[in-house]
Amino acid sequence: RDVQFGAIRAGRIFGSLRAVTVLTRASFEGVATEVEIDGIGAARIASTEFRVQQASPDSGQLTLDASSANDAHLVLRGAYRRADGATAVTVDSLRFAYDSVVWRSAAPIRVISDQNGLRVDSMEVRSSANGLVALRADVPETGDVKAMARLERFPVGEAIAFALGTRRFSGQLTGDISLAGTRASPLIAWRIEGDSLGVDGTYLPQVISDGRYSDRQLVAQANITDSLGGRLHAEARVPVDLSIATIEKRLLSDKVDADVSADSLNLEALDITVAGVSRVKGSLVGRVSVAGTVDRPVATGRMTLDDFSFYSSQLGIAPDQGRALIRAAQDSLILESFRVRSGRNADSLGASG
């Protein structure tokens, strides 16, 4: 029957526990299975089995077998060991499968935690679709920290859907993330390329994100560039404390500081896909800035889309000579004007307000 632990609900829980060699060196073996779990954030887990074998306070073997509501499947097998104040967790094998794609660890993954800090020794997971997730980290309690992560063809939509139970979306990430500095003052940088991000037949062109963090300031950028050199650029600056420590408040201010600019972005020169729509043309120019606070944002600027046209195979129409002007004012986006023509010169549609 349903079992509730705070916000976490499990449809059914069943399992067993057995103690062996109690009179000499006691160890335990156990298995627990949970079905229809929710309440862990947005995660939607169909079933989970956690198995412990030859377990004692100093060592044991672990197995985790989890399936999501959308049929993705994760299996981890490994062991833990405690000795001389250090805890080492070794994942001997990792397997994550969805649709026809399978991710597997290339070698055992070893994580060590002791009085000196935390280390991850050469994690490498590869997929049958030429994907890669690699991580190496050394985060001591004192002194310099260092970590490097590499993604290749990483299915971000599948991973988020498995972890959070959200709707699946397409797309892959490729890039690098680095960590340097110290625990108190880390330096973080990344460059990530997102390819074919989208859902239901609508896919974005390549999106490139760059970012850096230092001195309690995070600066994140995203760019879309057409083949003729036009660009859509977004940038946000966030005062935040990302020190590697337990602190009360990460976000240092509710101040908003962001802007989006379009420099002659040519829609025809973009690798963009919209189901049932082709021959998309137009030029986007303008800039919108957002300041103020989260509760009271202040937006200024305008964006203009000129010479807009496309062909809709579903409707059998080809609107052209389109123009749209959007103005940002305080917390609103105002469509100042919109016009498009289809068919004869008299067949036009316009709007403003």
Side-chain angles (χ1 to χ4, degrees):
R1 65 185 184 85
D2 283 5
V3 179
Q4 191 88 22
F5 300 96
I8 301 175
R9 184 196 68 83
R12 288 182 295 160
I13 296 180
F14 51 91
S16 63
L17 178 65
R18 182 168 68 99
V20 297
T21 60
V22 175
L23 298 180
T24 54
R25 179 178 173 83
S27 65
F28 301 88
E29 296 182 357
V31 59
T33 302
E34 300 85 29
V35 180
E36 297 178 359
I37 303 167
D38 57 40
I40 309 174
R44 296 174 58 211
I45 301 174
S47 66
T48 300
E49 180 180 283
F50 182 68
R51 183 181 297 272
V52 181
Q53 294 176 302
Q54 302 175 13
S56 72
D58 298 328
S59 64
Q61 297 178 359
L62 309 172
T63 301
L64 174 67
D65 189 327
S67 297
S68 72
N70 58 16
D71 296 327
H73 191 198
L74 172 67
V75 179
L76 295 171
R77 291 187 174 88
Y80 69 90
R81 180 176 294 277
R82 285 181 53 85
D84 300 325
T87 300
V89 177
T90 302
V91 179
D92 294 313
S93 66
L94 178 155
R95 184 180 187 276
F96 178 58
Y98 62 92
D99 294 337
S100 60
V101 180
V102 178
W103 288 76
R104 288 188 175 90
S105 51
I109 303 166
R110 186 174 171 85
V111 181
I112 302 171
S113 176
D114 56 25
Q115 61 184 1
N116 296 319
L118 178 71
R119 298 187 301 282
V120 179
D121 292 340
S122 190
M123 166 185 163
E124 184 176 308
V125 183
R126 294 186 175 274
S127 82
S128 56
N130 298 319
L132 169 69
V133 177
L135 172 66
R136 184 187 297 270
D138 184 5
V139 187
E141 293 291 338
T142 60
D144 294 339
V145 302
K146 185 177 182 180
M148 290 291 296
R150 172 69 182 171
L151 303 176
E152 294 180 7
R153 299 176 180 268
F154 179 70
V156 58
E158 294 290 345
I160 292 176
F162 180 81
L164 301 180
T166 57
R167 184 181 182 186
R168 296 165 69 176
F169 63 91
S170 300
Q172 299 175 331
L173 300 183
T174 297
D176 298 282
I177 306 169
S178 66
L179 169 68
T182 64
R183 280 180 172 257
S185 183
L187 304 173
I188 303 171
W190 73 84
R191 180 179 174 84
I192 302 290
E193 300 175 1
D195 287 311
S196 302
L197 299 171
V199 65
D200 291 341
T202 299
Y203 305 104
L204 294 174
Q206 185 183 68
V207 180
I208 299 178
S209 173
D210 294 277
R212 64 186 184 277
Y213 169 84
S214 64
D215 298 326
R216 303 202 300 179
Q217 176 86 352
L218 178 69
V219 179
Q221 303 178 0
N223 292 283
I224 295 176
T225 304
D226 65 41
S227 61
L228 300 179
R231 186 177 72 149
L232 180 67
H233 173 80
E235 181 173 320
R237 295 156 289 275
V238 182
V240 63
D241 188 345
L242 296 182
S243 57
I244 307 172
T246 301
I247 59 175
E248 276 189 26
K249 190 176 181 181
R250 292 287 182 185
L251 191 62
L252 302 176
S253 168
D254 63 351
K255 178 182 177 182
V256 176
D257 183 11
D259 55 72
V260 178
S261 62
D263 181 11
S264 300
L265 185 72
N266 190 314
L267 302 187
E268 186 179 12
L270 281 177
D271 185 17
I272 187 170
T273 302
V274 179
V277 175
S278 60
R279 304 203 299 266
V280 179
K281 298 181 180 180
S283 178
L284 184 65
V285 177
R287 182 185 182 92
V288 173
S289 298
V290 183
T293 65
V294 174
D295 293 331
R296 293 178 176 270
V298 178
T300 57
R302 60 179 57 197
M303 287 278 183
T304 303
L305 178 61
D306 273 322
D307 297 325
F308 180 58
S309 65
F310 65 93
Y311 172 69
S312 171
S313 59
Q314 295 178 342
L315 299 177
I317 61 173
D320 61 5
Q321 297 182 21
R323 188 177 193 276
L325 173 60
I326 297 176
R327 179 169 61 88
Q330 300 298 316
D331 60 351
S332 302
L333 289 176
I334 301 171
L335 179 63
E336 288 205 337
S337 65
F338 174 81
R339 181 182 183 278
V340 68
R341 185 184 69 85
S342 180
R344 297 171 300 177
N345 290 333
D347 296 335
S348 62
L349 173 67
S352 64

